[in-house]
């Protein structure tokens, strides 16, 4: 096989893996009410308060375009086995959440402050995009590439997202493609560009 063919086969394999993960993965069901922590516990085990600071004032760090605060099973142990989680999303003026995938879950986003341009691309490469206002809800289907952009140059934006997995995980396209060590030659051919351009993308995304 020449290297063009190899690149093609590897890309096909990657796509198939992404489709298997993205299309059919789901959290397993529990056979008990919930998974208790070891030792004594009370109602505070079922309570998560770290969003208070997001919703009551704490702005995101200066110079940072975007901040996510998660309530997944890692931060909130009561979610283990319950197939739900939340994240709050804060966007600086002109801030973005770059193109990414949640392999195990759809995402239901609710805008709480500001305006957001959101979008996803389906598996036939069709783009669905919309500008959302406060109170609007948008669905990003499971496993599809999606993004959010606060196009306002003066005002921040805030949203909260619900997930149908206790650990939705994020596959970020820039770092998956350019900060994971994928063969440079393969990237150069895949993106039909030159090595310098790929090197620039790698350098910019390694950080
Ligand atoms: C969540 O998923 C990631 C992989 O996407 C995995 O590394 C991590 O261990 C999972 N967390 C838990 C608590 O299972």
């Amino acid at each position: 096989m020449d290297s063009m063919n190899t690149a093609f086969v590897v890309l096909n394999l990657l796509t198939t893996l992404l489709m298997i993960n993205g299309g059919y993965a789901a959290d397993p069901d529990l056979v008990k009410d919930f998974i208790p922590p070891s030792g004594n516990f009370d109602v505070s085990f079922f309570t998560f308060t770290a969003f208070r600071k997001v919703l009551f004032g704490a702005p995101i760090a200066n110079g940072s375009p975007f901040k996510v605060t998660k309530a997944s099973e890692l931060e909130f142990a009561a979610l283990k086995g319950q197939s739900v989680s939340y994240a709050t999303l804060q966007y600086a003026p002109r801030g973005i959440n770059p193109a990414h995938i949640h392999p195990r879950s759809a995402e239901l986003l609710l805008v709480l402050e500001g305006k957001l341009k959101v979008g996803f691309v389906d598996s036939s490469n069709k783009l669905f995009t919309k500008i959302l206002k406060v109170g609007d809800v948008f669905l990003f289907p499971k496993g599809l590439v999606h993004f959010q952009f606060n196009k306002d140059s003066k005002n921040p934006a805030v949203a909260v997202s619900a997930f149908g997995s206790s650990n939705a995980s994020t596959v970020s396209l820039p770092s998956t493609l350019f900060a994971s060590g994928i063969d440079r030659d393969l990237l150069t051919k895949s993106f039909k560009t030159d090595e310098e351009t790929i090197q620039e993308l790698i350098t910019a995304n390694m950080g």
Side-chain angles (χ1 to χ4, degrees):
M1 250 187 317
D2 65 24
S3 61
M4 251 340 227
N5 268 333
T6 313
F8 184 73
V9 168
V10 171
L11 264 187
N12 265 325
L13 256 175
L14 280 175
T15 312
T16 309
L17 278 175
L18 272 178
M19 279 168 72
I20 290 168
N21 274 326
Y24 307 108
D27 291 8
D29 273 340
L30 279 187
V31 289
K32 48 181 163 182
D33 296 346
F34 54 87
I35 301 173
S38 54
N40 290 334
F41 68 99
D42 62 14
V43 69
S44 63
F45 175 64
F46 301 97
T47 313
F48 183 80
T49 58
F51 287 167
R52 287 181 187 171
K53 64 178 189 305
V54 174
L55 300 179
F56 298 101
I60 64 179
N62 234 344
S64 172
F66 169 69
K67 181 174 184 193
V68 58
T69 307
K70 289 183 185 171
S72 72
E73 67 173 81
L74 186 66
E75 300 82 16
F76 186 14
L79 298 185
K80 279 197 179 87
Q82 301 294 338
S83 308
V84 289
S85 59
Y86 268 137
T88 50
L89 312 158
Q90 295 171 275
Y91 309 82
R94 305 286 300 163
I96 59 157
N97 183 3
H100 64 280
I101 294 165
H102 303 294
R104 287 184 283 285
S105 177
E107 172 173 357
L108 195 55
L109 177 143
L110 166 64
V111 180
L112 301 179
E113 182 188 334
K115 268 186 261 169
L116 278 181
K117 177 163 187 170
V118 301
F120 69 87
V121 180
D122 76 6
S123 56
S124 69
N125 216 30
K126 184 168 159 77
L127 172 68
F128 295 85
T129 182
K130 174 93 181 153
I131 293 175
L132 304 178
K133 297 181 180 164
V134 171
D136 293 353
V137 170
F138 193 84
L139 176 78
F140 302 105
K142 177 152 118 181
L144 298 185
V145 173
H146 62 281
F147 56 83
Q148 299 110 34
F149 185 7
N150 176 16
K151 296 193 90 169
D152 196 301
S153 54
K154 292 198 180 66
N155 300 298
V158 178
V160 59
S161 276
F163 299 90
S165 166
S166 60
N167 184 23
S169 295
T170 296
V171 174
S172 177
L173 266 54
S175 59
T176 295
L177 292 166
F178 301 111
S180 66
I182 294 180
D183 192 282
R184 279 157 210 234
D185 197 27
L186 182 144
L187 290 173
T188 305
K189 291 184 164 86
S190 302
F191 288 92
K192 303 178 179 71
T193 182
D194 50 64
E195 295 225 10
E196 294 73 61
T197 307
I198 292 298
Q199 187 53 54
E200 260 178 54
L201 286 162
I202 289 172
T203 306
N205 285 286
M206 285 306 267

